[in-house]
Amino acid sequence: DSGVTQTPKHLITATGQRVTLRCSPRSGDLSVYWYQQSLDQGLQFLIQYYNGEERAKGNILERFSAQQFPDLHSELNLSSLELGDSALYFCASSVDSSWVYEQYFGPGTRLTVT
Amino acid sequence: AQTVTQSQPEMSVQEAETVTLSCTYDTSESDYYLFWYKQPPSRQMILVIRQEAYKQQNATENRFSVNFQKAAKSFSLKISDSQLGDAAMYFCAYRRDGGSQGNLIFGKGTKLSVKP
């Protein structure tokens, strides 16, 4: 158990819908990262937050957005869902952005768009 | 942009034997960090080993060791005395040094099977 929690574990929804994925980082971790794992694209970085502020953006679609709240939990919002958005979405957390601190991954949320 | 390439989609090893997984990367940076992550069927991402590019000594963690060749931009993972529990997807990952951006760049992965 990494200490990072993600809810829900599984999510099945229809095209065009909107969903919210939630992540609670390990206690004391300020930095949260979102990654998408799909068969086509592999594991790719979406977005990073540090202590409530956006720090870096990767290959995140405009239909996707995220935020980190004062209690440091983070939410990833996916809208106008398409079949290709079906993937495993990971959240990872670390103390800060420094390399010396390991990124601890949550168990992931499996999103299926039908 | 940095890229990570794992040229072996699948590998197989006999229990108790040694296997080496390959990884190459492309970067113009001189300081960076490299990682191997394991993803078993449970889907959990687990850090196996990490290497700082400025260190010439290869990292070792119990049965896991790396062969880091900076000039060749190669970072292979050697698993000794393979165990059934080593069966998983293995991802090589890169992280740049410095700055506030700590995201990882992953390769496509290598699926390792361990035969009893």
Side-chain angles (χ1 to χ4, degrees), chain B residues 64-79:
Chain B
F64 298 87
S65 62
V66 299
N67 184 4
F68 173 49
Q69 302 289 328
K70 190 172 184 179
K73 295 182 181 176
S74 170
F75 182 60
S76 60
L77 174 69
K78 185 172 83 171
I79 306 174

Side-chain angles (χ1 to χ4, degrees), chain B residues 45-102:
Chain B
M45 294 290 289
I46 303 165
L47 178 64
V48 175
I49 198 166
R50 62 183 171 191
Q51 174 79 42
E52 298 90 325
Y54 65 86
K55 286 188 177 179
Q56 293 187 347
Q57 186 174 6
N58 290 322
T60 300
E61 287 288 342
N62 301 313
R63 298 183 295 107
F64 298 87
S65 62
V66 299
N67 184 4
F68 173 49
Q69 302 289 328
K70 190 172 184 179
K73 295 182 181 176
S74 170
F75 182 60
S76 60
L77 174 69
K78 185 172 83 171
I79 306 174
S80 304
D81 185 25
S82 296
Q83 300 176 0
L84 295 177
D86 295 333
M89 283 290 290
Y90 286 82
F91 293 94
C92 178
Y94 167 101
R95 183 202 181 282
R96 59 176 291 186
D97 180 31
S100 58
Q101 299 178 14

Side-chain angles (χ1 to χ4, degrees), chain A residues 81-107:
Chain A
L81 285 167
E82 301 175 0
L83 296 177
D85 297 328
S86 296
L88 184 57
Y89 290 85
F90 283 108
C91 165
S93 75
S94 66
V95 173
D96 65 17
S97 300
S98 170
W99 72 272
V100 298
Y101 296 108
E102 177 181 344
Q103 289 187 24
Y104 291 86
F105 282 77

